[in-house]
């Protein structure tokens, strides 16, 4: 049973920072590509950032590029999202995704390719 648990969300002032963490447990290959997605009320879930299997490549949505940084620690089976210069439009439920097919080693995978999802952590920027 794979479990992903996000943390680090909360209320943040515009211009502030937050760091999200996603810890995986159960049978999950910690080395595979992983990603962060978000969903705002009334909107569809969208990709925020992703990282390749080897960690050497990352991909960001245009709206967060230059402000957010994704990283992972394979030894800890943990995915991170450092968010700086937060804006009210960043307000959303942020979820991590993992466990894509092993041959998809690159970043920028569509959400349909991920087989495991966390419940999310709410980030509210005001």
């Amino acid at each position: 049973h794979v479990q992903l648990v996000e943390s680090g969300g909360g209320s943040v002032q515009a211009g502030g920072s937050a760091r999200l963490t996603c810890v995986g447990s159960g049978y999950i290959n910690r080395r595979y590509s992983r990603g962060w997605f978000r969903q705002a009320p009334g909107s569809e879930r969208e990709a925020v950032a992703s990282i390749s299997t080897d960690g050497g490549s990352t991909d960001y949505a245009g709206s967060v590029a230059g402000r957010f940084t994704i990283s992972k620690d394979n030894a800890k089976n943990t995915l991170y999202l450092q968010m700086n210069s937060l804006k009210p439009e960043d307000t959303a439920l942020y979820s991590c995704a993992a466990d894509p097919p092993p041959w998809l080693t690159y970043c920028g995978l569509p959400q349909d390719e991920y087989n495991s999802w966390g419940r999310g952590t709410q980030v509210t920027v005001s």
Side-chain angles (χ1 to χ4, degrees), residues 33-37 46-53 55-66 68-71 79-81 106-110 114:
S33 303
R34 299 179 71 168
W36 285 99
F37 293 78
E46 63 177 359
V48 176
S50 62
I51 188 165
S52 61
T53 294
S57 298
T58 55
D59 184 66
Y60 298 92
S63 58
V64 307
F68 291 11
T69 302
I70 187 173
S71 61
L79 182 71
Y80 303 98
L81 185 67
Y106 43 89
C107 57
L109 297 176
Y114 293 102

Side-chain angles (χ1 to χ4, degrees), residues 29-103:
N29 194 314
R30 60 193 63 191
R31 298 172 296 174
Y32 288 173
S33 303
R34 299 179 71 168
W36 285 99
F37 293 78
R38 69 184 182 186
Q39 186 169 20
S43 300
E44 293 189 356
R45 186 164 59 189
E46 63 177 359
V48 176
S50 62
I51 188 165
S52 61
T53 294
D54 64 2
S57 298
T58 55
D59 184 66
Y60 298 92
S63 58
V64 307
R67 299 188 297 122
F68 291 11
T69 302
I70 187 173
S71 61
K72 61 175 180 168
D73 185 332
N74 289 339
K76 297 181 179 179
N77 202 359
T78 301
L79 182 71
Y80 303 98
L81 185 67
Q82 177 66 43
M83 306 185 296
N84 299 328
S85 302
L86 283 162
K87 304 175 181 179
E89 50 264 45
D90 294 319
T91 295
L93 180 69
Y94 285 74
S95 301
C96 67
D99 213 16
W103 53 89

Side-chain angles (χ1 to χ4, degrees), residues 2-6 22-25 28 34 96-98 116-119:
V2 173
Q3 186 176 22
L4 299 174
V5 180
E6 302 94 337
C22 172
V23 180
S25 62
I28 180 172
R34 299 179 71 168
C96 67
S116 298
W117 290 82
R119 292 188 175 185

